[in-house]
Amino acid sequence: MLITFKSKSLPEVMMYQEHAQRILDLLHKNPTRGVITAAEAAQALSVLEHEVALSKLHPEVDAEHEVHTPEQEESGDLPENKLNLRVGFAARAFPLLEMLRSAKQEGQDIIWGV
């Protein structure tokens, strides 16, 4: 399932729910429907930036999903450098962090599920 974050400050940000879940859990928000008000944006930004910093300290345990092709999976031939192909929390959170920064600066809310 996709979650589409919307704000008047930037274009929409779409994320798979499984990827957005960690972010929303940190912000104590419901993945089905919610809002980050302009007043909450500064605190949300601080929480997510802190989590990004922690994830960068431990990249070997941070990666949520490995990137590989179905052909590699079927043959069992995954690349040896698969740690370099992982997508971590910092990369996944980046678009929403940019939206939060813009929403905070422009005094706009971020909504999803509506």
Side-chain angles (χ1 to χ4, degrees):
M1 184 170 137
L2 287 175
I3 296 177
T4 303
F5 296 95
K6 300 175 186 180
S7 177
K8 291 181 181 178
S9 64
L10 280 178
E12 296 176 349
V13 171
M14 295 175 61
M15 298 176 79
Y16 284 111
Q17 182 175 345
E18 65 188 78
H19 300 153
Q21 189 66 53
R22 181 174 173 188
I23 294 169
L24 295 172
D25 285 347
L26 287 166
L27 300 177
H28 307 288
K29 298 290 184 177
N30 185 323
T32 307
R33 180 194 287 181
V35 62
I36 300 171
T37 65
E40 295 173 319
Q43 178 62 27
L45 192 56
S46 175
V47 167
L48 292 179
E49 286 175 338
H50 177 70
E51 188 71 10
V52 165
L54 288 176
S55 72
K56 287 182 178 182
L57 289 175
H58 305 287
E60 68 282 353
V61 295
D62 175 58
E64 296 174 355
H65 301 279
E66 294 180 21
V67 176
H68 55 272
T69 64
E71 297 82 26
Q72 290 171 324
E73 189 173 280
E74 289 173 9
S75 69
D77 183 30
L78 294 175
E80 290 180 18
N81 64 346
K82 64 183 178 181
L83 283 177
N84 294 332
L85 300 176
R86 293 184 177 183
V87 178
F89 179 73
R92 296 230 189 260
F94 181 78
L96 192 55
L97 281 169
E98 288 298 304
M99 182 177 270
L100 277 166
R101 288 181 186 111
S102 179
K104 175 185 163 196
Q105 182 178 356
E106 296 181 23
Q108 299 293 329
D109 296 341
I110 297 174
I111 60 171
W112 62 94
V114 291

